[in-house]
Tab-separated table of all heavy atoms in Angstrom:
chain	number	residue	atom	x	y	z
A	1	SER	N	-4.188	-1.753	10.029
A	1	SER	CA	-2.761	-2.196	9.875
A	1	SER	C	-2.626	-3.290	8.659
A	1	SER	O	-1.514	-3.692	8.480
A	1	SER	CB	-2.331	-2.878	11.152
A	1	SER	OG	-2.367	-1.887	12.244
A	2	SER	N	-3.745	-3.649	8.089
A	2	SER	CA	-3.603	-4.490	6.921
A	2	SER	C	-2.707	-3.853	5.838
A	2	SER	O	-2.102	-4.625	5.007
A	2	SER	CB	-4.955	-4.833	6.371
A	2	SER	OG	-5.645	-3.683	5.871
A	3	ILE	N	-2.592	-2.549	5.762
A	3	ILE	CA	-1.828	-1.924	4.754
A	3	ILE	C	-0.339	-2.261	5.009
A	3	ILE	O	0.453	-2.156	4.025
A	3	ILE	CB	-2.062	-0.351	4.736
A	3	ILE	CG1	-1.508	0.284	3.488
A	3	ILE	CG2	-1.433	0.272	6.034
A	3	ILE	CD1	-2.195	-0.143	2.221
A	4	PHE	N	0.011	-2.646	6.189
A	4	PHE	CA	1.397	-3.042	6.433
A	4	PHE	C	1.786	-4.239	5.560
A	4	PHE	O	3.048	-4.473	5.414
A	4	PHE	CB	1.617	-3.468	7.916
A	4	PHE	CG	1.598	-2.315	8.850
A	4	PHE	CD1	0.951	-2.461	10.134
A	4	PHE	CD2	2.221	-1.084	8.570
A	4	PHE	CE1	0.945	-1.433	11.038
A	4	PHE	CE2	2.144	-0.084	9.491
A	4	PHE	CZ	1.507	-0.236	10.672
A	5	LEU	N	0.906	-5.023	5.168
A	5	LEU	CA	1.218	-6.231	4.343
A	5	LEU	C	1.667	-5.872	2.927
A	5	LEU	O	2.243	-6.748	2.303
A	5	LEU	CB	-0.024	-7.154	4.333
A	5	LEU	CG	-0.313	-7.759	5.706
A	5	LEU	CD1	-1.764	-8.345	5.730
A	5	LEU	CD2	0.679	-8.965	5.957
A	6	LEU	N	1.370	-4.676	2.474
A	6	LEU	CA	1.686	-4.314	1.110
A	6	LEU	C	3.207	-4.433	0.849
A	6	LEU	O	3.673	-5.002	-0.121
A	6	LEU	CB	1.218	-2.893	0.864
A	6	LEU	CG	1.301	-2.352	-0.627
A	6	LEU	CD1	0.645	-3.310	-1.605
A	6	LEU	CD2	0.695	-0.929	-0.636
A	7	GLY	N	4.036	-3.749	1.730
A	7	GLY	CA	5.448	-3.852	1.529
A	7	GLY	C	6.046	-5.224	1.549
A	7	GLY	O	6.755	-5.667	0.586
A	8	PRO	N	5.776	-6.057	2.575
A	8	PRO	CA	6.366	-7.399	2.618
A	8	PRO	C	5.847	-8.301	1.473
A	8	PRO	O	6.536	-9.139	1.079
A	8	PRO	CB	5.939	-7.901	3.988
A	8	PRO	CG	4.984	-6.968	4.564
A	8	PRO	CD	5.157	-5.655	3.882
A	9	MET	N	4.567	-8.170	1.079
A	9	MET	CA	4.110	-8.992	-0.008
A	9	MET	C	4.848	-8.581	-1.365
A	9	MET	O	5.167	-9.497	-2.102
A	9	MET	CB	2.590	-8.704	-0.218
A	9	MET	CG	1.683	-9.367	0.883
A	9	MET	SD	0.031	-8.993	0.768
A	9	MET	CE	-0.415	-9.842	-0.734
A	10	LEU	N	5.159	-7.335	-1.471
A	10	LEU	CA	5.918	-7.002	-2.661
A	10	LEU	C	7.366	-7.484	-2.499
A	10	LEU	O	7.986	-7.960	-3.530
A	10	LEU	CB	5.971	-5.386	-2.811
A	10	LEU	CG	4.635	-4.861	-3.406
A	10	LEU	CD1	4.603	-3.334	-3.218
A	10	LEU	CD2	4.513	-5.111	-4.858
A	11	GLY	N	7.890	-7.356	-1.283
A	11	GLY	CA	9.227	-7.862	-1.091
A	11	GLY	C	9.390	-9.365	-1.347
A	11	GLY	O	10.435	-9.815	-1.830
A	12	ARG	N	8.315	-10.132	-1.016
A	12	ARG	CA	8.371	-11.593	-1.171
A	12	ARG	C	7.834	-12.074	-2.522
A	12	ARG	O	8.445	-12.944	-3.164
A	12	ARG	CB	7.529	-12.213	-0.031
A	12	ARG	CG	7.281	-13.742	-0.142
A	12	ARG	CD	8.473	-14.493	0.418
A	12	ARG	NE	8.197	-15.944	0.314
A	12	ARG	CZ	7.529	-16.637	1.283
A	12	ARG	NH1	7.087	-15.981	2.319
A	12	ARG	NH2	7.262	-17.916	1.067
A	13	LEU	N	6.706	-11.506	-2.996
A	13	LEU	CA	6.092	-12.033	-4.215
A	13	LEU	C	6.327	-11.112	-5.451
A	13	LEU	O	5.980	-11.478	-6.565
A	13	LEU	CB	4.566	-12.200	-3.932
A	13	LEU	CG	4.103	-13.111	-2.904
A	13	LEU	CD1	2.637	-13.087	-2.743
A	13	LEU	CD2	4.569	-14.547	-3.163
A	14	ARG	N	6.714	-9.883	-5.100
A	14	ARG	CA	6.881	-8.856	-6.137
A	14	ARG	C	5.591	-8.479	-6.827
A	14	ARG	O	5.489	-7.802	-7.881
A	14	ARG	CB	7.909	-9.256	-7.266
A	14	ARG	CG	9.335	-9.403	-6.783
A	14	ARG	CD	9.850	-8.034	-6.368
A	14	ARG	NE	11.254	-8.058	-6.027
A	14	ARG	CZ	11.830	-7.972	-4.881
A	14	ARG	NH1	11.036	-7.823	-3.801
A	14	ARG	NH2	13.109	-7.924	-4.688
A	15	ARG	N	4.421	-8.751	-6.133
A	15	ARG	CA	3.148	-8.322	-6.543
A	15	ARG	C	2.204	-8.333	-5.449
A	15	ARG	O	2.274	-9.203	-4.527
A	15	ARG	CB	2.614	-9.228	-7.730
A	15	ARG	CG	1.200	-8.880	-8.265
A	15	ARG	CD	0.852	-9.739	-9.474
A	15	ARG	NE	-0.576	-9.497	-9.765
A	15	ARG	CZ	-1.028	-8.542	-10.465
A	15	ARG	NH1	-0.211	-7.567	-10.950
A	15	ARG	NH2	-2.340	-8.382	-10.768
A	16	ALA	N	1.210	-7.414	-5.404
A	16	ALA	CA	0.238	-7.392	-4.340
A	16	ALA	C	-0.962	-6.656	-4.804
A	16	ALA	O	-0.875	-5.695	-5.575
A	16	ALA	CB	0.790	-6.663	-3.094
A	17	VAL	N	-2.175	-7.077	-4.353
A	17	VAL	CA	-3.388	-6.404	-4.633
A	17	VAL	C	-4.047	-6.199	-3.232
A	17	VAL	O	-4.370	-7.214	-2.569
A	17	VAL	CB	-4.284	-7.269	-5.511
A	17	VAL	CG1	-5.605	-6.472	-5.775
A	17	VAL	CG2	-3.592	-7.583	-6.804
A	18	VAL	N	-4.272	-4.970	-2.945
A	18	VAL	CA	-4.962	-4.658	-1.578
A	18	VAL	C	-6.065	-3.733	-1.781
A	18	VAL	O	-6.146	-2.996	-2.798
A	18	VAL	CB	-3.914	-4.078	-0.593
A	18	VAL	CG1	-2.719	-4.932	-0.452
A	18	VAL	CG2	-3.432	-2.694	-1.110
A	19	THR	N	-6.980	-3.748	-0.798
A	19	THR	CA	-8.100	-2.814	-0.849
A	19	THR	C	-7.741	-1.690	0.224
A	19	THR	O	-6.793	-1.836	0.944
A	19	THR	CB	-9.408	-3.526	-0.306
A	19	THR	OG1	-10.501	-2.617	-0.513
A	19	THR	CG2	-9.325	-3.901	1.173
A	20	TYR	N	-8.454	-0.614	0.188
A	20	TYR	CA	-8.160	0.488	1.094
A	20	TYR	C	-8.529	-0.021	2.470
A	20	TYR	O	-9.599	-0.637	2.730
A	20	TYR	CB	-8.997	1.726	0.747
A	20	TYR	CG	-8.415	2.423	-0.471
A	20	TYR	CD1	-8.833	2.156	-1.721
A	20	TYR	CD2	-7.404	3.391	-0.292
A	20	TYR	CE1	-8.263	2.762	-2.848
A	20	TYR	CE2	-6.813	4.054	-1.424
A	20	TYR	CZ	-7.289	3.738	-2.686
A	20	TYR	OH	-6.693	4.349	-3.755
A	21	PRO	N	-7.617	0.160	3.425
A	21	PRO	CA	-7.833	-0.393	4.779
A	21	PRO	C	-8.838	0.330	5.622
A	21	PRO	O	-9.253	1.488	5.391
A	21	PRO	CB	-6.365	-0.228	5.395
A	21	PRO	CG	-5.840	1.029	4.750
A	21	PRO	CD	-6.392	0.972	3.332
A	22	GLY	N	-9.300	-0.398	6.691
A	22	GLY	CA	-10.343	0.180	7.600
A	22	GLY	C	-9.643	0.534	8.923
A	22	GLY	O	-8.579	0.978	8.981
A	23	GLY	N	-10.418	0.280	10.020
A	23	GLY	CA	-9.993	0.687	11.351
A	23	GLY	C	-10.877	1.642	11.969
A	23	GLY	O	-12.017	1.811	11.593
A	24	CYS	N	-10.393	2.376	12.981
A	24	CYS	CA	-11.226	3.368	13.676
A	24	CYS	C	-11.481	4.584	12.794
A	24	CYS	O	-10.667	5.001	12.004
A	24	CYS	CB	-10.560	3.804	15.037
A	24	CYS	SG	-10.588	2.621	16.223
A	25	ASP	N	-12.601	5.134	12.901
A	25	ASP	CA	-13.023	6.357	12.170
A	25	ASP	C	-12.550	7.567	12.839
A	25	ASP	O	-13.256	8.330	13.583
A	25	ASP	CB	-14.560	6.357	11.992
A	25	ASP	CG	-14.992	7.522	11.088
A	25	ASP	OD1	-14.179	8.079	10.376
A	25	ASP	OD2	-16.259	7.866	11.146
A	26	ILE	N	-11.204	7.878	12.688
A	26	ILE	CA	-10.640	9.006	13.354
A	26	ILE	C	-10.055	10.013	12.360
A	26	ILE	O	-9.316	10.877	12.727
A	26	ILE	CB	-9.545	8.647	14.345
A	26	ILE	CG1	-8.463	7.756	13.658
A	26	ILE	CG2	-10.099	7.852	15.551
A	26	ILE	CD1	-7.266	7.442	14.567
A	27	GLY	N	-10.463	9.863	11.123
A	27	GLY	CA	-9.893	10.720	10.026
A	27	GLY	C	-9.599	10.030	8.724
A	27	GLY	O	-9.848	8.803	8.688
A	28	LEU	N	-9.262	10.789	7.796
A	28	LEU	CA	-9.034	10.216	6.469
A	28	LEU	C	-7.825	9.228	6.456
A	28	LEU	O	-7.883	8.229	5.712
A	28	LEU	CB	-8.755	11.291	5.457
A	28	LEU	CG	-9.995	12.302	5.217
A	28	LEU	CD1	-9.588	13.409	4.287
A	28	LEU	CD2	-11.172	11.490	4.731
A	29	ARG	N	-6.779	9.562	7.098
A	29	ARG	CA	-5.575	8.739	7.188
A	29	ARG	C	-5.193	8.179	5.737
A	29	ARG	O	-5.131	6.999	5.510
A	29	ARG	CB	-5.762	7.598	8.134
A	29	ARG	CG	-6.024	7.998	9.502
A	29	ARG	CD	-5.804	6.966	10.535
A	29	ARG	NE	-6.785	5.987	10.489
A	29	ARG	CZ	-6.836	4.933	11.418
A	29	ARG	NH1	-5.901	4.781	12.289
A	29	ARG	NH2	-7.736	4.023	11.339
A	30	PRO	N	-4.948	9.062	4.837
A	30	PRO	CA	-4.652	8.666	3.401
A	30	PRO	C	-3.376	7.797	3.388
A	30	PRO	O	-2.462	7.928	4.140
A	30	PRO	CB	-4.513	9.961	2.627
A	30	PRO	CG	-4.128	10.911	3.660
A	30	PRO	CD	-4.833	10.474	4.917
A	31	ILE	N	-3.373	6.873	2.373
A	31	ILE	CA	-2.128	6.028	2.223
A	31	ILE	C	-1.252	6.576	1.110
A	31	ILE	O	-0.398	5.801	0.670
A	31	ILE	CB	-2.588	4.563	1.995
A	31	ILE	CG1	-3.321	4.405	0.676
A	31	ILE	CG2	-3.383	4.069	3.202
A	31	ILE	CD1	-3.577	2.990	0.269
A	32	ASP	N	-1.445	7.800	0.755
A	32	ASP	CA	-0.640	8.314	-0.359
A	32	ASP	C	0.874	8.284	-0.100
A	32	ASP	O	1.661	7.942	-1.002
A	32	ASP	CB	-0.925	9.851	-0.534
A	32	ASP	CG	-2.325	10.090	-0.992
A	32	ASP	OD1	-3.124	9.073	-1.100
A	32	ASP	OD2	-2.734	11.227	-1.195
A	33	LEU	N	1.313	8.421	1.174
A	33	LEU	CA	2.721	8.354	1.509
A	33	LEU	C	3.274	6.965	1.353
A	33	LEU	O	4.364	6.678	0.954
A	33	LEU	CB	2.934	8.861	2.949
A	33	LEU	CG	2.708	10.391	3.197
A	33	LEU	CD1	2.874	10.690	4.635
A	33	LEU	CD2	3.615	11.187	2.231
A	34	HIS	N	2.414	5.933	1.683
A	34	HIS	CA	2.809	4.528	1.494
A	34	HIS	C	3.136	4.350	0.022
A	34	HIS	O	4.206	3.730	-0.380
A	34	HIS	CB	1.715	3.622	1.869
A	34	HIS	CG	1.385	3.614	3.351
A	34	HIS	ND1	1.650	2.579	4.181
A	34	HIS	CD2	0.705	4.508	4.064
A	34	HIS	CE1	1.200	2.877	5.442
A	34	HIS	NE2	0.663	4.043	5.344
A	35	LEU	N	2.184	4.717	-0.870
A	35	LEU	CA	2.341	4.504	-2.323
A	35	LEU	C	3.525	5.332	-2.925
A	35	LEU	O	4.217	4.882	-3.735
A	35	LEU	CB	1.064	4.887	-3.024
A	35	LEU	CG	-0.218	4.154	-2.484
A	35	LEU	CD1	-1.418	4.456	-3.404
A	35	LEU	CD2	0.034	2.669	-2.509
A	36	GLN	N	3.668	6.594	-2.376
A	36	GLN	CA	4.806	7.327	-2.821
A	36	GLN	C	6.099	6.682	-2.552
A	36	GLN	O	7.004	6.608	-3.413
A	36	GLN	CB	4.740	8.689	-2.113
A	36	GLN	CG	6.053	9.567	-2.291
A	36	GLN	CD	6.067	10.699	-1.183
A	36	GLN	OE1	5.127	11.173	-0.793
A	36	GLN	NE2	7.342	11.062	-0.869
A	37	GLY	N	6.316	6.150	-1.309
A	37	GLY	CA	7.510	5.419	-0.930
A	37	GLY	C	7.756	4.238	-1.790
A	37	GLY	O	8.895	3.916	-2.233
A	38	LEU	N	6.728	3.433	-2.109
A	38	LEU	CA	6.899	2.253	-2.931
A	38	LEU	C	7.249	2.592	-4.370
A	38	LEU	O	7.996	1.857	-4.980
A	38	LEU	CB	5.591	1.429	-2.882
A	38	LEU	CG	5.288	0.829	-1.447
A	38	LEU	CD1	3.908	0.155	-1.493
A	38	LEU	CD2	6.415	-0.143	-0.951
A	39	ARG	N	6.616	3.644	-4.917
A	39	ARG	CA	6.947	4.046	-6.212
A	39	ARG	C	8.465	4.439	-6.352
A	39	ARG	O	9.069	4.202	-7.349
A	39	ARG	CB	6.113	5.294	-6.593
A	39	ARG	CG	4.611	4.963	-6.982
A	39	ARG	CD	3.931	6.003	-7.647
A	39	ARG	NE	2.607	5.673	-8.040
A	39	ARG	CZ	1.441	5.954	-7.378
A	39	ARG	NH1	1.587	6.705	-6.228
A	39	ARG	NH2	0.275	5.626	-7.820
A	40	ALA	N	8.974	5.031	-5.281
A	40	ALA	CA	10.418	5.387	-5.333
A	40	ALA	C	11.310	4.102	-5.417
A	40	ALA	O	12.446	4.299	-5.763
A	40	ALA	CB	10.750	6.158	-4.067
A	41	LEU	N	10.711	2.955	-5.036
A	41	LEU	CA	11.515	1.739	-5.140
A	41	LEU	C	11.176	0.987	-6.474
A	41	LEU	O	11.577	-0.174	-6.625
A	41	LEU	CB	11.151	0.788	-4.013
A	41	LEU	CG	11.376	1.326	-2.599
A	41	LEU	CD1	11.132	0.212	-1.513
A	41	LEU	CD2	12.759	1.894	-2.467
A	42	GLY	N	10.541	1.644	-7.405
A	42	GLY	CA	10.290	1.063	-8.672
A	42	GLY	C	8.967	0.292	-8.754
A	42	GLY	O	8.765	-0.427	-9.820
A	43	VAL	N	8.118	0.393	-7.854
A	43	VAL	CA	6.812	-0.343	-7.881
A	43	VAL	C	5.852	0.402	-8.791
A	43	VAL	O	5.725	1.631	-8.664
A	43	VAL	CB	6.213	-0.462	-6.444
A	43	VAL	CG1	4.858	-1.221	-6.561
A	43	VAL	CG2	7.207	-1.246	-5.558
A	44	ARG	N	5.225	-0.341	-9.679
A	44	ARG	CA	4.207	0.222	-10.600
A	44	ARG	C	2.852	0.050	-9.894
A	44	ARG	O	2.548	-1.090	-9.470
A	44	ARG	CB	4.181	-0.401	-11.890
A	44	ARG	CG	5.435	-0.147	-12.755
A	44	ARG	CD	5.351	-0.883	-14.066
A	44	ARG	NE	4.270	-0.432	-14.802
A	44	ARG	CZ	3.896	-1.011	-16.000
A	44	ARG	NH1	4.587	-2.015	-16.502
A	44	ARG	NH2	2.800	-0.571	-16.668
A	45	ILE	N	2.105	1.105	-9.705
A	45	ILE	CA	0.830	1.059	-8.943
A	45	ILE	C	-0.313	1.559	-9.753
A	45	ILE	O	-0.234	2.614	-10.373
A	45	ILE	CB	1.014	1.974	-7.646
A	45	ILE	CG1	2.118	1.365	-6.759
A	45	ILE	CG2	-0.327	1.887	-6.873
A	45	ILE	CD1	2.456	2.255	-5.588
A	46	ASP	N	-1.371	0.737	-9.786
A	46	ASP	CA	-2.561	1.057	-10.496
A	46	ASP	C	-3.689	1.036	-9.528
A	46	ASP	O	-3.969	0.003	-8.961
A	46	ASP	CB	-2.803	0.019	-11.682
A	46	ASP	CG	-3.985	0.423	-12.518
A	46	ASP	OD1	-4.479	1.575	-12.404
A	46	ASP	OD2	-4.382	-0.464	-13.342
A	47	GLU	N	-4.404	2.118	-9.334
A	47	GLU	CA	-5.568	2.223	-8.404
A	47	GLU	C	-6.831	2.149	-9.246
A	47	GLU	O	-7.105	3.012	-10.054
A	47	GLU	CB	-5.546	3.486	-7.657
A	47	GLU	CG	-4.217	3.629	-6.763
A	47	GLU	CD	-4.175	4.957	-6.053
A	47	GLU	OE1	-5.103	5.185	-5.194
A	47	GLU	OE2	-3.293	5.727	-6.231
C-alpha cells in the first residue's frame, strides 16, 4: 500500500520518488495502471 502515497505526494508536492512496492507474494501486481492514470494527468514519469 505504499504505492498509495504516490498520488497524494504529487498532489501536495508535485514531485515524488518511490520504489516498487512490496507486500504478500501473490503475483506480479504490476503498477502500470497507476502510472498510466497519472500520466493522463500530465505527470512526467521516469523509471
Side-chain angles (χ1 to χ4, degrees):
S1 299
S2 61
I3 196 64
F4 288 140
L5 291 161
L6 186 54
M9 288 173 69
L10 284 166
R12 174 83 179 272
L13 301 175
R14 293 297 192 249
R15 180 173 168 81
V17 180
V18 302
T19 189
Y20 285 91
C24 286
D25 184 17
I26 56 175
L28 295 175
R29 300 199 286 184
I31 62 170
D32 297 1
L33 294 175
H34 296 252
L35 304 184
Q36 170 198 330
L38 295 173
R39 285 191 175 102
L41 304 187
V43 179
R44 295 179 58 186
I45 299 174
D46 184 13
E47 301 177 63

